[in-house]
Amino acid sequence: MSSKLVNINLHGQLGKAVGRKEWKLSVKSVAEACRAIDALSQRRWTKHLLTAEAAKVKYKILVNGEAPMTEKEPDPKDPNTILNSELMIPIHNLDSIDIVPVVEGAGDNMGMLLIVVGVLLIISGGAAAAYIAPGTT
């Protein structure tokens, strides 16, 4: 884990649902931030994401004020589009993460992620941790 604190801002209903809109956490990636907030919010993060998914809410994730780079548009049906994105890998000089609700159909789609992607980040992180954990103690 990094010793530098990263500013994480949950905009709109997401911040209200987890009980805090602003977080300062020692994380290296968006995925790690999502897992940490889920754990610290007693799983309210995941519960809200599932509710938001049913309501077809979308979110844009900004890393240091910019949309993360991806090889392909993130697609919840193809986990590789998420695993190969900047959302999963450690980011050098990570200062801020903003998760912003977006009106469906507004703006470009490259930075826009279905809320399912947030759930996949948590699941992917858990799967990665489970895969790595047996070989390490």
Side-chain angles (χ1 to χ4, degrees), residues 20-69:
R20 272 174 72 181
K21 292 185 175 199
E22 296 178 8
W23 299 76
K24 287 187 184 285
L25 301 173
S26 179
V27 296
K28 293 182 181 179
S29 69
V30 174
E32 188 177 5
C34 292
R35 288 190 308 276
I37 291 171
D38 191 47
L40 293 169
S41 70
Q42 299 175 332
R43 311 272 308 158
R44 288 189 300 255
W45 166 270
T46 298
K47 290 174 189 172
H48 178 75
L49 292 178
L50 292 172
T51 303
E53 178 188 353
K56 299 188 189 291
V57 174
K58 294 183 179 183
Y59 288 85
K60 186 170 191 171
I61 297 174
L62 301 172
V63 176
N64 295 337
E66 298 181 13
M69 296 177 62

Side-chain angles (χ1 to χ4, degrees), residues 56-128:
K56 299 188 189 291
V57 174
K58 294 183 179 183
Y59 288 85
K60 186 170 191 171
I61 297 174
L62 301 172
V63 176
N64 295 337
E66 298 181 13
M69 296 177 62
T70 59
E71 291 178 6
K72 294 181 182 178
E73 180 178 340
D75 180 359
K77 295 177 186 173
D78 182 1
N80 286 326
T81 61
I82 297 156
L83 294 172
N84 294 329
S85 75
E86 194 176 34
L87 300 174
M88 296 298 291
I89 61 172
I91 301 168
H92 185 66
N93 294 327
L94 180 59
D95 293 316
S96 67
I97 299 170
D98 285 89
I99 304 178
V100 184
V102 177
V103 176
E104 191 168 348
D108 66 312
N109 288 332
M110 282 306 276
M112 195 179 299
L113 308 176
L114 291 172
I115 199 63
V116 158
V117 172
V119 174
L120 283 177
L121 285 172
I122 295 165
I123 293 169
S124 298

